[in-house]
Amino acid sequence: MAEHFKVISQFEKITNKDLRHISSFSASRSEASDVARVLGSGGSVKCLRADQRSLLLQMAIKVADLGHTTLLEAEHVTWVQRLETEFFGQGDAERERSICVSPLSDRTKLRNGPAAGENQIGFFDVICKPLLSAWVKVFPECSSLLDQINANLRYWQIDAENLLNEIVLTAN
């Protein structure tokens, strides 16, 4: 996890000066697919040093890896449910081997998995939003991805609020 934050921090440091020409190039484009063209062709990135190109590609991979968070709500929730199934399967295997069950992988704990709103809120606030915010500074045509992350975050906030309301109602 420390590496994730290190990459974002390094990317943010070079964003303002070294990537300015990429930002101005991409700002004139209307589709996120142009980002792929920039990265794939090496066009604007040829001006970057090798370590900066590597960092840019690391960021692109991270953005792609978190792509499910930028999907429309229904698709995103489906992917989170699939992820939870995978996590719980890992937890079951760990329990069978009598080893400590990994975080978010214990299906016996109520609202413990990735599909719990409170877990998703932390994931979005700590991992997803900082990553996409840094990305959008360089590739502003990708701002719709950040908008969708915010919409999906609101879904999880409502999910967590609903759980809290259920707990309060049950306690009364």
Side-chain angles (χ1 to χ4, degrees):
M1 196 54 60
E3 184 66 22
H4 173 81
F5 298 114
K6 179 181 170 187
V7 168
I8 293 173
S9 176
Q10 289 174 339
F11 186 75
E12 287 175 329
K13 286 177 187 172
I14 67 168
T15 295
N16 292 330
K17 52 183 179 140
D18 300 312
L19 298 178
R20 203 173 284 145
H21 65 281
I22 293 175
S23 182
S24 62
F25 171 82
S26 64
S28 67
R29 306 297 183 184
S30 61
E31 296 182 20
S33 61
D34 288 320
V35 174
R37 285 190 208 110
V38 170
L39 296 176
S41 70
S44 294
V45 296
K46 288 180 181 176
C47 299
L48 298 175
R49 296 186 322 257
D51 63 318
Q52 293 170 328
R53 283 192 304 273
S54 175
L55 183 60
L56 183 60
L57 291 173
Q58 286 177 60
M59 283 291 290
I61 290 168
K62 287 182 172 297
V63 169
D65 187 43
L66 297 178
H68 75 88
T69 63
T70 67
L71 295 174
L72 295 176
E73 180 183 298
E75 294 172 275
H76 164 65
V77 170
T78 297
W79 277 104
V80 172
Q81 291 167 340
R82 290 173 180 156
L83 181 64
E84 184 170 75
T85 298
E86 181 180 332
F87 274 42
F88 284 166
Q90 175 182 327
D92 295 344
E94 290 168 342
R95 187 174 289 102
E96 288 173 13
R97 292 179 179 83
S98 299
I99 58 176
C100 185
V101 176
S102 299
L104 304 178
S105 299
D106 192 346
R107 72 172 71 242
T108 67
K109 293 184 180 176
L110 182 64
R111 302 278 299 175
N112 176 61
E118 54 276 13
N119 292 334
Q120 284 296 312
I121 292 169
F123 177 64
F124 273 74
D125 284 342
V126 175
I127 304 297
C128 302
K129 285 180 70 175
L131 176 74
L132 262 290
S133 294
W135 186 254
V136 166
K137 285 179 187 173
V138 176
F139 298 107
E141 72 280 5
C142 293
S143 64
S144 63
L145 300 177
L146 190 55
D147 294 341
Q148 189 59 46
I149 278 184
N150 287 321
N152 288 337
L153 172 58
R154 185 66 192 136
Y155 169 86
W156 295 113
Q157 289 167 334
I158 291 169
D159 181 72
E161 289 169 14
N162 288 341
L163 175 65
L164 184 59
N165 290 337
E166 288 176 30
I167 292 170
V168 168
L169 288 173
T170 304
N172 292 332

